[in-house]
Amino acid sequence: MKQFWWARLAPLVACTCLGLVQGCGPGPGYGIRSRPRKLTPMRYKQFFPNFSENTLGASGRAEGKISRNSERFNQLVCNYNPDIVFKDEENTSADRVMTKRCKDCLNRLAIAVMNQWPGVHLRVTEAWDEDGHHPPGSLHYEGRAVDITTDDRETKKYGILAQLAVEAGFDWVHYESRYHIHCSVKADKSEAVERGGCFPGWARVTVPGGRQKTLSSLAPGDRVLALSGTGQVVYSQVLLFLHRDQERRSTFVSLETDGGRRLVLTPHHLMFLDPDCRRSEYQARFASRAKVGDCVLIISAGGGAETSRIVSVSLTESVGVFAPLTEAGTLFVDGVLVSSYALLEDHKLAHWAFGPLRLLHSLGQLFGGETAKEEQKASTKTVTHVGTLAPMDQAGIRRRDNLSEPLAVKDGEHCFLKMSDVHWYARLLHRFACVFLDSDIFHP
């Protein structure tokens, strides 16, 4: 019996790794779709994400001006990509100087531009600034920002160009001027580049009997209310915690619904949103994309499932970060349906990638004296039936009614991917995904 189970486990693990390899990218020549795609152009003066540039939710704070004589100048690189036109009006090659992260994003964008408009190339009008032409604190002084156009200078293309820049992985994109798009990135060594997705410790889940339990008191083996892949509300077993730190202070997105629910989670955690409130079309989206008017799925007072519209979106800070992984891959936190996964905007792919870990857990239960049949019966008790989760479509841009007042995020403390509090399997998948998957499905 033992040999039979492990014989089945080996090819499944191999297939997981193979699937990640087959999705290779990003990088020059890889990871960018060549087929035409319908994109939503960014509006003039709009920026994404909807935070100020120097906040944690975007490119982060400035770290100081870099000059040619400074030690940090050695960390910058030159971009000699022949598919990019560099204006270089100073004749110093300063517009080719940038951080490695900025260079990687720019190279991906160059490919996307050629795919979108054959014969058209990306043009950089400003990158690293050594002459003091920008306001104090500008990321141009660190090689972390670029101003871009297309080489044909057709301004009608710039809305699409801005959206392509978002998909290329820039941490902040601003349709700043009628004549260029401004893009910037986090510092290369910023801890914010790698982060987990979590909920605060005081957030509550529903356990059998209708009782409420805080995430800080939740333990592996507990069963919580969740939604199965077939659209049934079930009690699903908590297998483990992908991230657990009781003392970390983090910045969270706070969503309030017209049904009186309040959900608090990190911006890069997945939740299920429906902008049209059609109930059967919920898509996995980063919490940072949620906007007023979107609908979420909540548990009603009678235990059934119903839609509820978001009426408020804000930011808050709290202590404690917890990310439970359930057998179903979903759970209801404070009555609102969310995913167990974060960072990657593809719930189905994430759930599939964690299949070997769920299988290992099942094997542990089997060899520990519990039958799989009994556990499955206990963890999939049906309460009611709702529409199935629809597959992810092209991600849109999160908007607010008043774009002149971005949400302020305190720079500094947030939900990091630390070796001590993130599960080893999650860290392993994150490293594989960063190497082999397209950047446009990661949190911007």
Side-chain angles (χ1 to χ4, degrees), residues 103-319:
K103 177 183 178 181
D104 291 342
C105 292
L106 204 62
N107 288 342
R108 288 194 293 267
L109 178 57
I111 298 171
V113 168
M114 291 187 294
N115 288 337
Q116 186 69 27
W117 302 292
V120 177
H121 292 81
L122 178 65
R123 175 172 175 260
V124 175
T125 62
E126 193 76 34
W128 175 58
D129 180 7
E130 60 179 332
D131 299 322
H133 294 158
H134 293 84
S138 170
L139 298 184
H140 280 287
Y141 295 127
E142 304 175 32
R144 292 166 55 191
V146 291
D147 295 337
I148 58 173
T149 70
T150 54
D151 65 347
D152 59 8
R153 306 186 196 182
E154 290 189 10
T155 56
K156 63 182 181 180
K157 291 187 172 83
Y158 291 175
I160 294 294
L161 178 63
Q163 176 60 23
L164 290 174
V166 171
E167 296 189 359
F170 281 99
D171 296 300
W172 199 70
V173 178
H174 186 195
Y175 195 164
E176 184 177 52
S177 164
R178 296 286 188 188
Y179 305 104
H180 73 260
I181 304 299
H182 175 81
C183 310
S184 61
V185 296
K186 298 181 187 295
D188 282 350
K189 296 183 179 180
S190 172
E191 287 183 300
V193 173
E194 292 189 355
R195 54 206 186 268
C198 0
F199 307 92
W202 47 262
R204 294 178 178 271
V205 292
T206 303
V207 297
R211 296 181 295 109
Q212 298 290 302
K213 197 169 187 178
T214 63
L215 290 181
S216 59
S217 63
L218 197 66
D222 289 344
R223 291 184 295 131
V224 299
L225 208 60
L227 191 72
S228 70
T230 58
Q232 292 183 328
V233 178
V234 300
Y235 284 112
S236 183
Q237 186 178 20
V238 175
L239 305 182
L240 49 88
F241 280 85
L242 297 176
H243 196 169
R244 189 171 191 172
D245 189 334
Q246 300 188 33
E247 299 180 354
R248 179 160 304 282
R249 175 173 290 276
S250 305
T251 299
F252 297 87
V253 175
S254 177
L255 309 171
E256 297 184 12
T257 74
D258 57 7
R261 303 286 185 175
R262 180 174 180 246
L263 174 67
V264 177
L265 71 172
T266 49
H268 33 278
H269 202 95
L270 288 181
M271 60 183 301
F272 297 97
L273 299 171
D274 180 8
D276 300 320
C277 297
R278 289 179 291 185
R279 186 162 178 163
S280 61
E281 296 296 330
Y282 285 88
Q283 312 289 338
R285 293 286 184 263
F286 291 125
S288 62
R289 299 192 190 276
K291 62 182 183 296
V292 173
D294 287 349
C295 279
V296 294
L297 193 65
I298 68 172
I299 292 295
S300 67
E306 62 183 16
T307 59
S308 187
R309 195 178 298 271
I310 296 175
V311 297
S312 173
V313 180
S314 60
L315 291 175
T316 186
E317 288 189 352
S318 188
V319 175

Side-chain angles (χ1 to χ4, degrees), residues 68 73 76-81 84-99 106 124-131 140 143 145-146:
R68 289 186 184 269
F73 183 75
L76 302 181
V77 296
C78 285
N79 192 331
Y80 294 106
N81 190 333
I84 302 175
V85 177
F86 293 90
K87 185 178 181 181
D88 195 23
E89 57 188 350
E90 301 91 353
N91 292 319
T92 61
S93 295
D95 289 341
R96 295 180 180 272
V97 178
M98 58 196 69
T99 64
L106 204 62
V124 175
T125 62
E126 193 76 34
W128 175 58
D129 180 7
E130 60 179 332
D131 299 322
H140 280 287
V146 291

